[in-house]
Every structure is written in C-alpha cells, then in structure tokens.
Amino acid sequence: MTAQFDDLFIYRDVKYSIAGISGSKLFDPADFGLNPFMASTACWRGYIITFAVVDSHLVLDTLHVNLPVEMGEARNQPNGPVINGVEPTPSTTGLNLFNNEYKNLNYHIEYTGDLLLGEGFIRELYVHMGFHPAWKYKAVIELMFKNGVLTSELDRSEWAEQMRQKFQKESANARKPSTREAISNFVKRAFDRRYTKDK
C-alpha cells in the first residue's frame, strides 16, 4: 500500500490538507456522472479535489480525475462531462496521472459537518499507507459548516499536539498487528478520514 494524495483546502490564502471529515458526504464523483479509476497506487480513488471558502460558502474549486478511456481515445485527452459550465482540460499537475482537470469550478457544496485541515506535515511521522490524520500536522484548524455555509472556526493545533503525544506513546508500547483481522482493521483506519470530537 501507499500513502494517498491528500485532498486540499485553500483557506485565507493558505493551502491545507484535509485531515478529517466529521459530517455528511463531502464529495461523490457519481453525483457528477463520473466513474473514476485508479490513477496510481498513491491515488486509489482516481481523483484529487481542492476545496475553498468563497463568501462564506464551501465550494469545489479544482478537480483532477482519471476517467476510463474508450477504444481509440488518447490516454491523456480530457473526456469528462461539463461541470458547472466548466469543460475539462488536460491535467497540469505534472504527474500525468489524470486525464481530466477542472479549474475554477466554484461549485457550491451543501455540506453539513466539520473539517480538520492540516498544514506543516511532520515528515518523521510519515507512514506508507492511506491518509495522514490531523495530529501529524504542526498547525490544525477545524471549520464548521451548515448546509455549505461556514459557521465557525477553531484552532486545533494544541489538540493535535496532545493527540500526537498520545499516539506516539501508544505506538511505542504496541506491537505490530499480527492477525489478518488486525491488519485489515489497520488498513481500514488508514484510509478512513472520518473523526469525532473526541478523536
């Protein structure tokens, strides 16, 4: 397994990684008629998203997505549908992993729930698996949304530091998972970004 590309969030001109999702569905490619497939082992889902807040509203800003190619179609040519009036273009990520890129979508997301955003990933905590949790970042903020409208913001960096100390202490005393069930649970947790207030 491989660590996965983070979804991003641009907030007050800072680019954060989305490190936790507490609420309802944030994004489903099927809602846009998309059926992505794996772009690489670092992107099993086949897409990466960038969100932003515009006039207090949560918006889908940029979408990189890898869509199936029909017989005879060029591998890197965009073939996705128009989304919110925006046609896809060839990806400019430099990775050549996605054949469709949507920029400046400004698509309002009616999300209710909270998001943990992390900035300043601590490299020593890198694990070659899944998504990295919020406590692996130096700076963490929590944004609260109701029906897609930003209602409040909290600095959660101190909480992240406490969680970091807790997990580091627990992992120092824990043995690696040995049973098939324990390994399966470990993998599921690594790919699950959901969180509750006590996590």
Side-chain angles (χ1 to χ4, degrees), residues 122-185:
I122 301 169
R123 295 300 305 171
E124 310 88 78
L125 300 179
Y126 175 85
V127 174
H128 208 53
M129 171 74 70
F131 296 100
H132 295 292
W135 56 268
K136 292 188 177 185
Y137 294 86
K138 294 176 183 175
V140 177
I141 61 171
E142 185 174 32
L143 301 183
M144 293 82 161
F145 294 91
K146 185 170 183 180
N147 299 323
V149 177
L150 179 64
T151 59
S152 58
E153 167 191 346
L154 288 173
D155 185 334
R156 302 280 275 165
S157 302
E158 186 175 329
W159 166 85
E161 171 63 24
Q162 293 170 355
M163 295 300 286
R164 185 158 52 248
Q165 292 176 7
K166 174 187 172 187
F167 278 100
Q168 288 176 318
K169 184 176 180 181
E170 288 177 355
S171 63
N173 298 325
R175 288 184 287 183
K176 291 184 179 179
S178 55
T179 67
R180 179 172 284 174
E181 182 179 1
I183 292 170
S184 176
N185 288 336

Side-chain angles (χ1 to χ4, degrees), residues 9 26 51-53 56-60 107-109 111 115 145 148:
F9 202 113
L26 182 59
F51 294 95
V53 172
S56 298
H57 286 83
L58 175 64
V59 298
L60 171 60
Y107 184 89
H108 285 217
I109 302 290
Y111 173 75
L115 297 176
F145 294 91

Side-chain angles (χ1 to χ4, degrees), residues 34-169:
L34 304 175
N35 184 27
F37 70 99
M38 184 181 78
S40 79
T41 57
C43 189
W44 285 98
R45 304 174 310 168
Y47 63 90
I48 304 173
I49 316 160
T50 300
F51 294 95
V53 172
V54 176
D55 297 329
S56 298
H57 286 83
L58 175 64
V59 298
L60 171 60
D61 179 74
T62 305
L63 170 64
H64 298 273
V65 61
N66 197 35
L67 297 176
V69 176
E70 298 294 331
M71 184 72 77
E73 285 185 335
R75 163 69 182 83
N76 292 319
Q77 286 302 306
N79 60 350
V82 173
I83 298 177
N84 207 34
V86 177
E87 292 188 6
T89 60
S91 180
T92 58
T93 61
L95 301 173
N96 292 322
L97 299 177
F98 307 97
N99 53 10
N100 293 266
E101 180 180 286
Y102 295 87
K103 287 184 176 179
N104 303 313
L105 282 164
N106 198 34
Y107 184 89
H108 285 217
I109 302 290
E110 300 298 315
Y111 173 75
T112 295
D114 308 332
L115 297 176
L116 286 177
L117 309 181
E119 194 261 333
F121 180 72
I122 301 169
R123 295 300 305 171
E124 310 88 78
L125 300 179
Y126 175 85
V127 174
H128 208 53
M129 171 74 70
F131 296 100
H132 295 292
W135 56 268
K136 292 188 177 185
Y137 294 86
K138 294 176 183 175
V140 177
I141 61 171
E142 185 174 32
L143 301 183
M144 293 82 161
F145 294 91
K146 185 170 183 180
N147 299 323
V149 177
L150 179 64
T151 59
S152 58
E153 167 191 346
L154 288 173
D155 185 334
R156 302 280 275 165
S157 302
E158 186 175 329
W159 166 85
E161 171 63 24
Q162 293 170 355
M163 295 300 286
R164 185 158 52 248
Q165 292 176 7
K166 174 187 172 187
F167 278 100
Q168 288 176 318
K169 184 176 180 181

